[in-house]
Amino acid sequence: YKRQYLYTVIMITMYFVVPVGYPFRIVGHTIYDRIKYAEKFEIAFPWFMVPQEDIAKQTVAGGIPVPWAEWLPSILFWWIVVFLVSFFLVCVANIFRRQWLDVEKVTFPITVAAYEIYNIAGGGSESKKERYKIFILGMVLGFIVQAPIGLAMMFPWFPDIYGWRVNTCPSGLGYNAPDSPLASIAGLVGWRKTPVPYFIGYLVPISILFNIWFWFLVYIILSQISYMIGYYTGILQMNVCARAYCEATPMYYPPLETAVVAGMGGTIMLTIMTLFLSRSCIIETIRAALGKLPTDKIREVERNEAISYRLNYLAIVVSFVLIVGLFLACGVGILSAILIPIVAFVWWFSTLRVYGATGISTGTATRGLAFPRLIFGEWGSGGPIPLTRDFVVTTFFMRSLSSDMPSMGWG
């Protein structure tokens, strides 16, 4: 089992060392803001999120000993944030483990792939040894695909074997140039150049795949109709990468605003629907936690659980209170401090459900900002005037960490 533990540690470590995700992109932004907007930063963020400006500037040049005493408060703050919210969300997921895995048999395609690798890493039986050979073959094929891409991105002199430098977004999204015939399709965003999503698709139920294709075609048709009747007039001059991220597109602009419909209202409703459909599971776990079920029944429902439901619910309450206390210490209001973990729950709960069914996650970085409007009302591009710490810290944590892609936050 040593190899299995090693594999688990490697997978977790890889998640935290990806430079485009958490923590580097999120924490790195705060360091950048401390340097570039020093005066505003003092007003907007608590002192312990990032060291003083002169210490932060040392990360740019490097070459000097790390002043650990100056960095320690920031290290502890970010560690506590990650631990508390992760612990809270894991405890919430534990409540639904039996319903989703044992009863509904939710597939979780990527998790299945990772779990199979975990099992193969343990060695043992002859069948596992045969599968281990397949695993090694897959590693070799992955290296053949990924190594030339990475080398082409890092070294200009390396040949672009797979055409990665041509019409490719930094995320790996391939797109058509404005002069391409396919660029005349207003709603066409692009396609993944990496092969992994297509392989994962073989693990997704056919009904889910059909729904993905069907509603994508509906989106393409509605986008084209909208363009032909006078909306999104400049979209054909955009490359398709811009169509995925810019505002004047069917995803973010009227009349469709699909990112708003799916990323805000749809996400909230998916959480509500899932909770409603899981009501019997929730009621049963609460009754087990309160000791309202027969002892034999409690043993049955808790048989495969890591901890008892009573301890699990206690952990949820305690971690929620500690999260609220942590953000109160950051200088936000009581309502904001309560809403931050609630927003994280709403969006990561629905994202987990989509991820479990499809193997992909949905993310729109602004969707979590629907809730702060309940507190701060409408605001312009620069935020409310005067700018307050309550607003900045609340929107900072609700935007990316609470409601973006899993690699960008607490997912």
Side-chain angles (χ1 to χ4, degrees):
Y1 291 98
K2 291 182 179 179
R3 283 185 292 178
Q4 291 176 318
Y5 290 128
L6 179 62
Y7 167 75
T8 304
V9 171
I10 291 173
M11 290 294 290
I12 295 173
T13 304
M14 287 174 63
Y15 171 81
F16 283 101
V17 299
V18 174
V20 297
Y22 186 85
F24 292 103
R25 188 168 179 178
I26 303 301
V27 180
H29 270 303
T30 62
I31 297 173
Y32 171 82
D33 291 341
R34 165 68 88 179
I35 297 171
K36 188 172 182 179
Y37 310 105
E39 292 185 7
K40 290 183 178 180
F41 194 94
E42 294 289 343
I43 300 172
F45 290 101
W47 63 270
F48 47 78
M49 280 186 67
V50 179
Q52 295 300 313
E53 181 184 0
D54 57 332
I55 301 298
K57 285 182 177 178
Q58 295 175 1
T59 61
V60 178
I64 61 174
V66 178
W68 291 110
E70 300 288 344
W71 280 100
L72 184 60
S74 300
I75 293 172
L76 289 175
F77 169 76
W78 288 106
W79 185 90
I80 291 171
V81 167
V82 173
F83 174 79
L84 284 181
V85 179
S86 300
F87 184 75
F88 168 70
L89 294 176
V90 167
C91 289
V92 171
N94 282 342
I95 298 298
F96 299 90
R97 188 213 64 81
R98 180 170 174 267
Q99 174 71 18
W100 289 359
L101 298 186
D102 297 346
V103 178
E104 297 182 30
K105 306 292 184 182
V106 180
T107 53
F108 287 94
I110 293 181
T111 306
V112 168
Y115 182 71
E116 286 299 313
I117 297 173
Y118 172 84
N119 283 333
I120 291 170
S125 65
E126 290 298 322
S127 61
K128 283 189 177 181
K129 291 179 180 178
E130 290 299 320
R131 291 160 67 192
Y132 188 74
K133 293 178 182 179
I134 299 175
F135 167 69
I136 295 298
L137 176 60
M139 291 288 290
V140 172
L141 292 175
F143 181 82
I144 292 173
V145 170
Q146 195 62 38
I149 294 174
L151 292 172
M153 293 173 66
M154 291 187 290
F155 304 110
W157 50 264
F158 194 87
D160 190 15
I161 298 173
Y162 301 124
W164 196 263
R165 298 191 187 114
V166 180
N167 297 341
T168 309
C169 293
S171 63
L173 180 73
Y175 62 88
N176 296 294
D179 58 352
S180 168
L182 292 177
S184 62
I185 303 175
L188 182 61
V189 175
W191 61 89
R192 287 291 168 191
K193 283 193 172 183
T194 53
V196 175
Y198 304 104
F199 295 139
I200 292 296
Y202 282 97
L203 300 175
V204 179
I206 294 177
S207 60
I208 300 294
L209 290 176
F210 172 80
N211 270 279
I212 292 172
W213 277 104
F214 175 81
W215 291 109
F216 174 71
L217 291 175
V218 170
Y219 169 77
I220 292 292
I221 294 170
L222 292 178
S223 299
Q224 199 69 22
I225 293 174
S226 299
Y227 170 76
M228 294 177 67
I229 63 177
Y231 294 97
Y232 316 121
T233 53
I235 196 170
L236 297 188
Q237 283 67 51
M238 297 180 182
N239 64 42
V240 182
C241 189
R243 298 182 195 183
Y245 301 110
C246 296
E247 289 187 354
T249 67
M251 293 181 67
Y252 299 105
Y253 228 66
L256 297 183
E257 292 185 291
T258 56
V260 178
V261 174
M264 289 187 180
T267 299
I268 296 171
M269 199 61 210
L270 178 58
T271 296
I272 294 173
M273 288 172 57
T274 305
L275 290 174
F276 177 76
L277 294 174
S278 303
R279 62 190 183 280
S280 60
C281 161
I282 298 171
I283 293 172
E284 185 177 55
T285 57
I286 291 175
R287 293 187 65 195
L290 297 176
K292 299 296 185 180
L293 293 178
T295 304
D296 292 343
K297 182 64 175 178
I298 294 176
R299 289 175 181 170
E300 178 187 344
V301 297
E302 293 182 347
R303 183 173 62 249
N304 296 321
E305 305 301 336
I307 57 176
S308 67
Y309 287 125
R310 176 174 297 180
L311 185 58
N312 202 110
Y313 276 109
L314 178 62
I316 290 174
V317 172
V318 171
S319 59
F320 184 90
V321 171
L322 291 176
I323 292 169
V324 171
L326 177 64
F327 287 113
L328 286 175
C330 290
V332 307
I334 180 64
L335 184 57
S336 300
I338 292 173
L339 274 180
I340 290 174
I342 291 176
V343 169
F345 163 74
V346 169
W347 264 272
W348 292 128
F349 186 80
S350 61
T351 299
L352 178 62
R353 187 65 186 188
V354 174
Y355 177 86
T358 66
I360 61 174
S361 61
T362 57
T364 306
T366 56
R367 59 185 181 173
L369 297 182
F371 280 77
R373 296 181 188 278
L374 300 174
I375 307 172
F376 306 106
E378 295 293 327
W379 63 80
S381 59
I385 299 175
L387 203 62
T388 63
R389 179 172 296 180
D390 187 9
F391 172 81
V392 174
V393 174
T394 300
T395 53
F396 175 81
F397 281 100
M398 284 191 185
R399 181 187 183 276
S400 291
L401 291 165
S402 295
S403 60
D404 204 335
M405 304 300 290
S407 60
M408 285 291 293
W410 293 324

